[in-house]
Amino acid sequence: MLLGAIQNGACTIQPTRIDFSSDELLDMIARCGLNRLRQFPAFLGIHMRNSRMNPKLLAQLCALDEIFYSGQAMPQEDEEWAYKNDMKLFNVFANTECGIMLTSIRGGGRPGPSLRPISGMKYGFFPVAGTDGQSNGAYQNLNSSLVELVILGDSPDCPDPSLRAADGHYHTGDLFLEVEPGAYISRGRNDDWIKSSTALRCDTKAIEDNVRATCEDLVSECIVVGNLRPSPVLFIEANPTLTMDAEQLKKDILRRTRHFHSRRYVHERITSAKMIMVVPAGTLPRTITKGNIRRRAVEDMFKTELDAIFDA
């Protein structure tokens, strides 16, 4: 972002902190002439939520030339709110090694916009082994055709050969679903998919997204683990304003998510309160920069508890 600002002769405003308040954002717009906002969704969500109750903030967000987000998926309710109010959202897919690779249409008008490769680059979208759906009839397996984004060796943005695979290409580990010719939606990273004890893939991100959508008032954060286990296990940090005990909380989450899990493959379902663990706020290990919960670190931290669940 800084290099792009320099290239275009733009100014960059340095906030007081990475999760700056909506009042500070309004001050940036009024005093500094901010017209393009660029944030991770976790921090952008602060302003989206506040704009529901602050007409002035909503008007200023709608007036921005661009609201750029990347690095994480934006919560569906925030995206829907932004598009409902015609905010000029712009999403890109990027990584540290290659920079920006895929972009959406600015102000595309609907949540979950598809992404297209930027021009001049050479990418491959290669099928991922082990995602051919099992015949189940209960629902259509939309993830049966997952592809991995691969930066081809002769692409201008392909990283140094030391980072490439044996085939000479850079495998990003990022998975996509092609929704129309040349247009893709992200389905998370390869490590967002865990393998059950029967070697079948489980889409942890879909489970987490459902929990956030149906239990927003109960859960402040969640993560699904269970690599090489018979069933996934849901870890949650409860909403700090709740007064109910952990067992009642588990039952409420199970009730709200029951319909979703009834349509999953057997090895992807969470159908027992024993497969839900409630931990204190701030317990789950996070990355320093984006604050993402580290799935494998959770597996390691709670290995004893996970062993006990499945031994029982």
Side-chain angles (χ1 to χ4, degrees):
M1 294 300 96
L2 179 59
L3 288 173
I6 293 172
Q7 180 184 16
N8 291 282
C11 297
T12 298
I13 303 168
Q14 181 176 330
T16 57
R17 47 189 288 173
I18 192 169
D19 57 344
F20 57 88
S21 69
S22 295
D23 286 339
E24 185 169 340
L25 172 60
L26 288 173
D27 189 49
M28 291 179 188
I29 295 172
R31 290 202 300 133
C32 307
L34 177 71
N35 60 357
R36 294 175 186 270
L37 177 61
R38 293 165 174 171
Q39 282 194 293
F40 289 133
F43 307 127
L44 180 57
I46 296 171
H47 313 308
M48 291 295 175
R49 288 188 291 273
N50 290 339
S51 70
R52 288 169 167 80
M53 302 171 288
N54 186 333
K56 180 180 178 182
L57 176 61
L58 176 60
Q60 293 288 10
L61 286 171
C62 293
L64 291 173
D65 292 339
E66 181 179 276
I67 300 176
F68 177 108
Y69 69 97
S70 186
Q72 300 163 310
M74 182 181 288
Q76 184 176 347
E77 62 272 18
D78 290 343
E79 246 188 355
E80 290 176 349
W81 174 253
Y83 282 118
K84 177 182 177 181
N85 289 281
D86 295 323
M87 295 182 198
K88 300 178 183 67
L89 281 190
F90 182 55
N91 181 26
V92 306
F93 191 86
N95 66 17
T96 302
E97 294 83 3
C98 306
I100 294 174
M101 297 169 285
L102 310 172
T103 66
S104 69
I105 298 172
R106 182 164 50 199
R110 61 185 177 87
S114 59
L115 302 164
R116 294 179 181 273
I118 60 176
S119 61
M121 304 303 168
K122 297 181 180 180
Y123 301 154
F125 290 88
F126 297 162
V128 177
T131 56
D132 290 336
Q134 301 78 35
S135 177
N136 185 311
Y139 70 98
Q140 181 184 5
N141 181 13
L142 297 177
N143 297 312
S144 61
S145 303
L146 286 177
V147 292
E148 180 191 11
L149 171 59
V150 176
I151 312 303
L152 303 182
D154 57 348
S155 183
D157 59 346
C158 191
D160 186 80
S162 64
L163 297 175
R164 302 178 193 179
D167 60 7
H169 307 312
Y170 179 72
H171 291 252
T172 64
D174 296 303
L175 306 182
F176 292 85
L177 193 66
E178 188 171 18
V179 292
E180 56 185 276
Y184 302 85
I185 56 172
S186 174
R187 294 301 291 121
R189 287 190 53 78
N190 206 16
D191 53 11
D192 283 337
W193 293 72
I194 58 176
K195 279 194 174 183
S196 70
S197 57
T198 53
L200 300 175
R201 283 179 173 263
C202 173
D203 183 0
T204 59
K205 186 175 182 297
I207 299 172
E208 293 157 5
D209 287 348
N210 176 256
V211 171
R212 294 187 181 103
T214 58
C215 308
E216 182 182 10
D217 57 322
L218 303 178
V219 175
S220 62
E221 196 48 272
C222 67
I223 190 81
V224 172
V225 302
N227 200 48
L228 301 180
R229 306 279 187 175
S231 164
V233 176
L234 172 66
F235 280 78
I236 69 161
E237 292 180 355
N239 186 325
T241 63
L242 290 181
T243 56
M244 71 175 70
D245 61 36
E247 291 306 312
Q248 183 58 50
L249 176 58
K250 292 180 184 181
K251 291 177 182 178
D252 281 6
I253 293 172
L254 202 61
R255 175 177 55 80
R256 294 190 189 185
T257 59
R258 181 174 292 121
H259 177 69
F260 170 82
H261 284 282
S262 70
R263 301 175 65 247
R264 310 295 295 173
Y265 292 131
V266 172
H267 69 277
E268 292 184 298
R269 296 177 186 170
I270 295 176
T271 57
S272 167
K274 295 178 181 178
M275 301 301 170
I276 302 175
M277 292 196 65
V278 180
V279 299
T283 299
L284 300 175
R286 291 162 166 81
T287 60
I288 296 174
T289 53
K290 298 179 186 176
N292 292 336
I293 297 175
R294 298 161 53 209
R295 192 180 314 281
R296 294 303 167 90
V298 173
E299 296 242 17
D300 293 340
M301 178 183 290
F302 292 96
K303 183 181 183 302
T304 301
E305 290 81 354
L306 290 168
D307 287 344
I309 288 174
F310 292 105
D311 287 345

